[in-house]
């Protein structure tokens, strides 16, 4: 069943041509965190790509907070339906076993911790697990959508993001500088450089991206980076 | 059967006036009450507070009301598809209250269900919680959020009957059901108005008791915001 | 449509043969309070009889808190369905336009004040509108069912009851002696003797039952009874 | 599709043990999880706390568990159809917590939806509110009631599929939907287990995400408590 999704997402990805290799790498690495039987909510951006790389021998269902569980691939051209979209407002299809529901029930799934894994992007993550991803003061503010509900509710949140911003500054901070989306909620971060666990004592380095040194990761991490023993390379 | 059917969008929007608070269903442009929005634009009423997950696009949905500067305040979770919106917000003409999407849904549901307020974890520790009561239950922090108060709720359903019963379609359902009965008057527009008794009582999403007026909408455009498709091989 | 209900309820009433004339009279008088377009929740006992006497030229829908709106008459013999009952656990049918829903939505209708009129029985009503109808300490306690939600939520509550209990003691009291179901919520009381409005100053006598004197009503009323001007007889 | 199907009520009730808290759907005898109740009786587990609107009758529904003295505490809104219940309650063998029906429904829904507590007007000023926090909103008084915590929810639906999706029938729906996902493990029994894909995604009452185990129930008696009928003329 997932095979169909995978093929489809790849099509759209190829078409767009603007996916950097490292974003794909991040998605591939996160896909390994998705386990059999998981209900997963994917944010917009890199998280959406994760669906492409989930193992084909496990069963996973994707929830979209606008009111669908069991999302499938994009529709065939000409079969798109304005009444069947995902949270990114993209036309989608559903797989057998899918269901539609209202916004209150959708957030019952999220707030009630029935969704097993939430993957979303971030502008900043702090070493205590705080996350900022919805607002840059002074710039256009688009809003938090469902992100605040997701991060306040989920037990299992993985952040997918580049390790540094366009100006080269670290996005893994001692303290977030932007308005927060949620406090102390991020458990794991996968970036173009590393896999990091958020612990009581700060960012704990778990894995390095292929060819990236611990020093490079340290340099790109403003928050406290805990390095214990040998750090293996990611296996993508 | 208590008859809720009105014959036109004008009958359905009777009583609207300046400075009212409206709830409007829809997510993006999906499931928005197109006919009611057009009637609000035509009415020219101003100073509106609109509770709606999104604010439409420049030339469709609530964007049409924004173009005519009829909206004083938006209460939404995500508003990022609209240049005119951005201009009015940055210039201070438009007041914007951004709240988490689940909070928006549940503040509607609280109004519908007679709850004065709810405790939600969403937004705790963020600027959304500023000035609001927070409280710990079982070691987790929650924010007290109040039920909305609105004059009209405008919702869009797929099928309905004169008793006011509604069935929604796909993800066009979204906020529409939770807004029914959450305002003083709920106005439902439907694509198909079927004879009473045709809808299976077991499959009605919103019973007619939550709806005061129902009418058959016309000329649905149902615009798609992000047309994503795949090719047949 | 209501004609069908009326006929049916009468059938069941005739069959039972245990309906006292005054209970029927109470039901008939209360039926006059039911207006066109009302959604009505009827309690068990006298209130149930009210459905029999609602004018046939108005449209009314009956809600039952176990999850049905648009209740119709009892089913024909052999057509009863264990999955379609009312709050009294009686087999029922539905009328065109009816709907089924879960218990949360049912009480959303009640708590959210979408039900226009609630008619229920009582053991005691106090002059401040308090009501007691669910528990007699020391005796078997059956529970409040939906009564506490109904009386705490409804704006328009009519109590249907006998003016005195079996021992001849008044049920319209200065203060309830039994555990309360709700406080300050009853607006109107229709008994076998009188129609009474609950006001800030106490029980205000509106109508007398045919042939019943104001003095008899006063004697049967422990709470403060306000009598202003001529009190008309009920028109049933 | 995540498969929730188990092959028997024994597989479905795996993990039950003494002193657990169970939610059980149904109103009166309508929509009760007959197969699960039978399995609980057969299991012999004791010291149970049961959250259920009613307590069955002497020889059916939860009455079967009461007969075998497996229940330590009942949390219900109405329990008046059961002599053995009365005997155990009056003798003090059985602890009974009576709460308003709407409060019962909403404390389930709070658990399902991740709300720690709700403010309801029901029971204010009565012994139900004793020892509970009360609070005024807009001039009206409310009682703070907490979400239930339960180990298992046993629900009964009409149709279901292996993905755990459920459709209920008529008033047998009642408390069943609000109990789904309101306990650590939700066990659904259905009259018909249909192939995945057969249920219309638009008409599913409870999405499978709220259900951990589903099985086809057997030998439904569906007893009627008050058989009220009319004669054909």
């Amino acid at each position: 069943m997932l095979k169909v999704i995978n093929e489809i997402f790849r099509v759209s990805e190829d078409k767009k041509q603007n996916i950097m290799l490292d974003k794909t790498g991040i998605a591939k690495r996160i896909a390994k965190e998705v386990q059999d039987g998981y209900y997963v909510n994917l944010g917009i951006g890199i998280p959406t790509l994760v669906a492409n790389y989930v193992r084909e021998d496990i069963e996973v269902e994707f929830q979209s907070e606008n009111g669908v569980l069991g999302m499938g691939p994009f529709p065939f051209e000409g079969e798109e339906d304005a009444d069947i979209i995902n949270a990114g407002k993209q036309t989608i299809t559903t797989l057998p076993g899918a269901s539609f529901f209202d916004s209150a029930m959708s957030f019952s799934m999220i707030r009630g911790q029935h969704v097993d894994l939430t993957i979303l992007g971030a502008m900043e993550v702090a070493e205590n697990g705080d996350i900022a991803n919805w607002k840059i003061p002074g710039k256009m503010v688009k809003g938090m959508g469902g992100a605040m509900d997701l991060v306040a509710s989920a037990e299992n949140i993985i952040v997918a993001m580049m390790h540094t911003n366009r100006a080269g500054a670290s996005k893994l901070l001692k303290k977030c500088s932007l308005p927060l989306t949620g406090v102390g909620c991020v458990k794991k971060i996968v970036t173009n450089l590393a896999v990091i666990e958020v612990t009581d004592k700060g960012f704990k380095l778990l894995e390095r991206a292929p060819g990236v040194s611990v020093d490079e990761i340290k340099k790109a991490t403003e928050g406290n980076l805990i390095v214990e023993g040998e750090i293996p390379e990611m296996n993508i | 059967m208590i008859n809720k059917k009105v014959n036109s969008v004008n009958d359905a929007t009777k009583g609207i006036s300046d400075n009212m608070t409206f709830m409007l269903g829809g997510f993006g442009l999906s499931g928005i009450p197109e006919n009611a929005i057009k009637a609000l634009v035509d009415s020219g009423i101003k100073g509106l507070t609109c509770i709606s997950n999104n604010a439409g696009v420049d030339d469709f949905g609530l964007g049409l009301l924004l173009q005519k500067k009829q909206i004083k305040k938006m209460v939404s979770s995500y508003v990022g598809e609209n240049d005119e919106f951005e201009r009015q917000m940055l210039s201070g003409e438009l007041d914007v209250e951004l709240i988490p999407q689940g909070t928006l849904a549940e503040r509607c549901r609280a109004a519908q269900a007679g709850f004065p307020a709810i405790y939600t974890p969403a937004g705790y520790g963020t600027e959304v919680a500023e000035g609001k009561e927070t409280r710990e239950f079982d070691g987790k922090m929650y924010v007290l959020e109040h039920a909305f108060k609105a004059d009209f709720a405008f919702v869009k359903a797929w099928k309905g009957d004169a008793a006011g019963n509604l069935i929604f379609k796909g993800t066009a359902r979204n906020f529409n059901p939770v807004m029914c009965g959450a305002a003083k008057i709920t106005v439902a527009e439907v694509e198909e108005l079927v004879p009473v008794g045709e809808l299976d009582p077991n499959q009605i999403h919103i019973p007619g008791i939550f709806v005061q007026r129902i009418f058959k909408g016309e000329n649905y455009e149902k615009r798609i915001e992000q047309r994503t498709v795949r090719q047949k091989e």
Side-chain angles (χ1 to χ4, degrees), chain A, chain B:
Chain A
M1 204 174 290
L2 272 172
K3 206 178 165 192
V4 186
I5 308 189
N6 291 354
E7 280 168 9
I8 298 331
F9 275 89
R10 269 188 209 113
V11 167
S12 84
E13 181 189 339
D14 291 348
K15 257 178 78 181
K16 283 192 168 179
Q17 294 289 357
N18 60 352
I19 310 295
M20 290 165 59
L21 183 64
D22 40 5
K23 288 194 179 175
T24 305
I26 293 170
K28 281 183 180 170
R29 176 58 190 83
I30 291 178
K32 290 177 172 291
E33 304 284 323
V34 180
Q35 294 178 22
D36 190 27
Y38 266 16
Y39 293 99
V40 183
N41 182 293
L42 298 177
I44 295 167
I46 305 176
T48 304
L49 303 178
V50 172
N52 302 1
Y53 305 107
V54 173
R55 279 163 51 192
E56 290 179 11
D57 60 337
I58 63 174
E59 292 290 352
V60 173
E61 283 189 41
F62 293 102
Q63 194 252 18
S64 198
E65 62 265 29
N66 60 316
V68 55
L69 184 70
M71 262 193 294
F74 296 139
F76 287 118
E77 199 160 3
E79 294 179 3
E80 61 272 25
D81 184 341
D83 294 331
I84 303 182
I85 63 171
N86 65 17
K89 283 105 178 176
Q90 298 172 310
T91 45
I92 56 156
T93 59
T94 56
L95 297 173
S99 53
F100 297 112
F101 35 84
D102 66 39
S103 299
M105 184 172 271
S106 183
F107 283 91
S108 291
M109 294 177 188
I110 291 167
R111 203 186 307 99
Q113 303 187 332
H114 306 288
V115 173
D116 300 291
L117 175 61
T118 294
I119 304 169
L120 76 175
M123 299 167 180
E124 298 177 346
V125 178
E127 59 187 44
N128 67 349
D130 288 358
I131 177 173
N133 72 350
W134 75 284
K135 184 177 184 178
I136 304 177
K139 289 205 186 178
M140 177 56 189
V141 178
K142 289 174 186 282
M144 69 291 284
M148 283 194 183
D149 302 275
L150 282 159
V151 300
S153 307
E155 296 258 297
N156 195 1
I157 298 172
I158 300 179
V159 163
M161 66 176 188
M162 305 304 285
H163 212 98
T164 53
N165 65 20
R166 283 174 198 174
S170 178
K171 296 170 74 172
L172 289 86
L173 308 173
K174 286 192 188 310
K175 200 171 176 310
C176 290
S177 65
L178 294 171
L180 296 184
T181 308
V183 294
C185 50
V186 176
K187 300 286 181 293
K188 199 171 253 187
I189 308 162
V190 179
T191 75
N192 50 329
L193 302 183
V195 179
I196 283 166
E197 190 188 343
V198 179
T199 71
D200 289 349
K201 289 165 192 162
F203 299 121
K204 184 175 174 187
L205 184 59
L206 298 183
E207 299 173 19
R208 297 173 293 116
V212 174
S213 71
V214 169
D215 267 359
E216 286 174 285
I217 297 166
K218 264 190 183 161
K219 217 179 288 178
T221 306
E222 192 225 73
N224 183 34
L225 188 75
I226 303 164
V227 183
E228 289 177 357
E230 203 63 32
I231 306 299
E233 272 196 5
M234 288 184 209
N235 184 4
I236 298 175
Chain B
M1 190 274 302
I2 299 168
N3 190 4
K4 309 294 177 72
K5 189 185 161 196
V6 294
N7 288 320
S8 70
V9 66
N10 289 330
D11 289 345
T13 54
K14 224 173 190 172
I16 56 169
S17 71
D18 289 351
N19 303 312
M20 277 188 165
T21 298
F22 296 156
M23 291 175 167
L24 299 108
F27 183 96
L29 300 178
S30 187
I32 59 174
E34 295 187 19
N35 283 254
I37 291 171
K38 190 171 177 306
L40 296 180
V41 171
D42 293 345
S43 76
I45 56 170
K46 289 199 187 312
L48 303 175
T49 296
C50 291
I51 299 164
S52 171
N53 189 58
N54 311 92
V57 295
D58 272 322
D59 63 343
F60 201 55
L62 289 184
L64 299 170
L65 283 164
L66 286 164
Q67 291 286 355
K68 295 186 74 179
K69 299 187 185 172
Q70 294 174 266
I71 301 178
K72 181 181 66 184
K73 181 178 179 180
M74 282 296 310
V75 181
S76 304
S77 87
Y78 192 84
V79 292
E81 324 288 356
N82 196 312
D83 289 340
E84 177 61 16
F85 184 99
E86 181 171 355
R87 198 197 59 70
Q88 290 184 24
M89 186 174 77
L90 293 177
S91 72
E93 290 167 69
L94 181 68
D95 185 12
V96 179
E97 184 181 349
L98 291 168
I99 60 174
Q101 195 177 141
T103 301
L104 180 61
E106 208 61 29
R107 289 176 67 185
C108 291
R109 198 241 170 198
Q112 174 190 67
F115 292 110
I118 55 143
Y119 285 108
T120 178
Y124 174 74
T126 76
E127 62 181 52
V128 161
E130 277 170 25
K132 291 175 185 164
E133 175 182 326
T134 58
R135 180 163 175 173
E136 186 179 327
F137 290 95
D138 277 346
K140 184 164 177 163
M141 295 302 298
Y142 296 84
V143 184
L144 187 72
E145 297 276 7
H146 289 78
F148 284 125
K149 288 182 171 55
D151 296 294
F152 279 83
F154 297 106
V155 304
K156 150 81 173 31
W158 179 33
K159 294 181 182 179
D161 64 23
N165 295 307
L166 302 177
I167 292 180
F168 304 90
K169 187 183 148 213
T171 56
R173 191 182 317 188
N174 56 65
F175 288 85
N176 286 296
V178 291
M179 288 178 174
C180 291
K184 286 176 200 152
I185 294 174
T186 297
V187 176
E189 58 183 85
V190 296
E191 289 181 59
E192 289 179 47
L193 196 62
V194 306
V196 169
E198 194 173 302
L199 300 178
D200 179 353
N202 213 37
Q203 295 293 14
I204 285 165
H205 293 139
I206 283 292
I209 193 171
F210 294 111
V211 174
Q212 278 67 53
R213 303 172 191 169
I214 189 168
F215 70 100
K216 187 185 176 313
E218 283 169 4
N219 303 317
Y220 282 104
E221 183 177 337
K222 297 176 70 164
R223 198 186 290 187
I224 290 173
E225 266 181 274
Q226 303 287 338
R227 188 177 304 270
T228 46
V229 296
R230 55 179 159 144
Q231 310 297 326
K232 277 192 181 142
E233 279 158 40

